[in-house]
């Protein structure tokens, strides 16, 4: 088992390792239930390890969950932002990667262009983890899969509905569909298209990925309903886009088309009243705060996998 595996997309791990990550997260979460949040897990498998986190975009959940995750694994984290590091003054990604790779054990990067995390991974010599790019958000989806499984829904054969914008979170969900053998119906306006690279791969793996402009058709019978902001970081809050997406709001009517015991997921931050109505966001089917908490447990599995220390890994 190698200890230098970057996690730029879910396919870097593959379906078996993702399943192992979910199981490990469930076990670790249960094992430390009585511990204060800042105390290390009993086995502290990353004692002595340091994670560097680079943020070129805002973050609350990813930043705090990685920090707490690495502490719970017995290690420490440090944060660089482009405003105060030499990255902001033009030092290259390659040089930054080579320096950090000499100083820390793993690097998490949140940035805009996906090629930047690829460049970092090529030069770092230590695992690089994608903490969100304009293209994908794989760490979020490990937490989402964990949340779905915890709520009693096995992934193979699951029917998942995505409503709204076609964005980074959706791309990683499509990727997950192929890897974990579930189907996905995407309700999105005309002219909005999922990233073909992820859709083609999921379809090749045998998943049914349907794109429809009919929001109710997308939601019909779904086990899980997911949405995200209509305006991702770096995008303009354009009135025309909001108007196009308004029919795709996840509200009570839309949830009533889904399965009776469907759960609602949102990676957060939410814009209640836009992509989701308040009654759904605050309602009994919403598991968004379980999902947010699960970012910690998911990050722990991702870190362990990247460093070759995921105990239950089967592939
Ligand atoms: N869901 C998510 O990645 O949240 P942050 O932007 O707060 O990290
Ligand atoms: N699609 C959102 C996700 C935020 C966690 C964005 O990129 O801003």
């Amino acid at each position: 088992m190698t200890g230098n595996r970057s996690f730029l997309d879910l396919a870097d791990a593959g379906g078996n390792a993702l399943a192992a990550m979910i199981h490990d997260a469930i076990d670790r979460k249960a094992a430390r239930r009585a511990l204060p949040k800042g105390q290390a897990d009993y086995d502290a498998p990353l004692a002595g390890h340091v994670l560097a986190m680079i943020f070129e975009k805002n973050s609350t959940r990813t930043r705090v969950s990685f920090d707490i995750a690495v502490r719970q694994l017995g290690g420490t984290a440090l944060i660089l932002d482009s405003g105060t590091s030499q990255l902001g003054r033009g030092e290259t990604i390659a040089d930054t990667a080579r320096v950090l790779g000499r100083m820390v054990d793993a690097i998490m990067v949140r940035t805009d262009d996906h090629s930047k995390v690829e460049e970092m991974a090529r030069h770092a010599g230590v695992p690089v983890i994608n903490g969100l790019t304009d293209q994908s958000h794989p760490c979020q989806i490990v937490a989402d899969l964990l949340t779905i499984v915890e709520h009693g829904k096995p992934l193979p054969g699951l029917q998942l509905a995505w409503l709204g914008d076609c964005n980074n979170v959706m791309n990683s969900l499509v990727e997950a569909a192929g890897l974990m053998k579930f189907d996905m119906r995407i309700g999105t306006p005309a002219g909005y298209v999922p990233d073909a690279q992820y859709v083609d791969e999921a379809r090749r793996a045998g998943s049914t990925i349907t794109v429809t402009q009919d929001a109710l058709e997308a939601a019909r019978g779904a086990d899980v309903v997911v949405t995200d902001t209509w305006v991702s970081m770096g995008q303009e809050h354009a009135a025309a886009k909001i108007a196009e997406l308004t029919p795709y709001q996840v509200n009570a009517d839309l949830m009533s088309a889904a399965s009776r015991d469907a759960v609602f997921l949102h990676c957060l931050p939410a814009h209640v009243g836009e992509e989701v109505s308040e009654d759904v966001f605050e309602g009994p089917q919403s598991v968004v705060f379980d999902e947010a908490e699960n970012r910690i447990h998911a990050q722990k599995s991702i870190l362990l996998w990247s460093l070759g220390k995921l105990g239950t890994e089967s592939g």
Side-chain angles (χ1 to χ4, degrees):
M1 207 186 290
T2 164
N4 179 14
R5 299 193 286 201
S6 287
F7 186 71
L8 307 187
D9 267 320
L10 297 170
D12 291 337
N16 288 342
L18 281 177
M21 287 184 200
I22 293 165
H23 288 131
D24 197 68
I26 289 170
D27 289 348
R28 279 192 178 277
K29 185 175 175 179
R32 62 162 297 113
R33 211 168 278 286
L35 298 180
K37 295 181 178 69
Q39 190 168 318
D41 290 354
Y42 297 106
D43 57 345
L46 292 191
H49 289 67
V50 182
L51 171 73
M53 298 193 275
I54 299 174
F55 285 98
E56 295 194 316
K57 290 186 177 193
N58 294 44
S59 172
T60 297
R61 279 146 289 269
T62 304
R63 176 177 171 154
V64 176
S65 61
F66 264 110
D67 192 327
I68 299 300
V70 77
R71 284 191 222 194
Q72 290 187 356
L73 293 171
T76 53
L78 58 89
I79 293 178
L80 289 89
D81 62 63
S82 47
T84 56
S85 70
Q86 298 289 8
L87 268 173
R89 294 183 57 251
E91 185 167 16
T92 64
I93 291 171
D95 287 355
T96 305
R98 285 185 286 180
V99 170
L100 289 179
R102 302 285 185 107
M103 296 183 174
V104 303
D105 299 289
I107 304 168
M108 190 236 71
V109 187
R110 169 168 284 198
T111 188
D112 42 23
D113 196 331
H114 196 76
S115 66
K116 292 187 184 176
V117 292
E118 292 172 336
E119 172 89 349
M120 184 74 71
R122 269 196 300 277
H123 295 283
V126 297
V128 172
I129 297 170
N130 171 7
L132 179 147
T133 64
D134 290 346
Q135 180 176 304
S136 61
H137 196 4
C139 295
Q140 177 68 51
I141 301 311
V142 180
D144 290 8
L145 299 179
L146 169 60
T147 308
I148 292 167
V149 170
E150 272 187 343
H151 282 272
K153 298 178 188 301
L155 298 176
L158 189 86
Q159 301 294 314
L160 186 144
W162 173 275
L163 276 301
D165 196 16
C166 291
N167 67 13
N168 43 10
V169 174
M170 191 207 68
N171 285 337
S172 290
L173 260 180
V174 171
E175 192 181 29
L179 293 168
M180 306 313 285
K181 311 292 177 213
F182 61 86
D183 297 330
M184 196 162 156
R185 281 198 301 279
I186 298 166
T188 194
Y192 288 62
V193 281
D195 191 318
Q197 154 193 345
Y198 296 104
V199 173
D200 292 349
E201 191 54 44
R203 286 182 177 151
R204 264 197 298 276
S207 293
T208 302
I209 309 292
T210 310
V211 182
T212 173
Q213 288 157 31
D214 182 336
L216 286 176
E217 185 192 325
R220 196 156 292 130
D223 304 300
V224 180
V225 178
V226 193
T227 191
D228 184 17
T229 181
W230 290 341
V231 185
S232 285
M233 289 182 278
Q235 296 177 345
E236 190 192 339
H237 196 277
K241 186 177 184 190
I242 303 300
E244 281 176 331
L245 285 162
T246 297
Y248 300 87
Q249 183 192 64
V250 178
N251 51 34
D253 274 354
L254 190 120
M255 286 304 288
S256 68
S259 160
R260 272 164 56 94
D261 66 351
V263 293
F264 169 71
L265 294 182
H266 189 311
C267 67
L268 308 180
H271 304 79
V272 173
E274 290 194 358
E275 71 271 10
V276 57
S277 64
E278 186 173 7
D279 53 351
V280 170
F281 187 79
E282 299 292 349
Q285 289 169 287
S286 173
V287 296
V288 299
F289 295 104
D290 292 344
E291 181 185 5
E293 180 197 328
N294 278 338
R295 295 296 305 279
I296 294 178
H297 309 292
Q299 317 298 33
K300 290 164 78 172
S301 290
I302 295 164
L303 284 163
L304 290 173
W305 176 81
S306 291
L307 290 161
K309 292 178 184 291
L310 190 70
T312 57
E313 189 175 344
S314 58

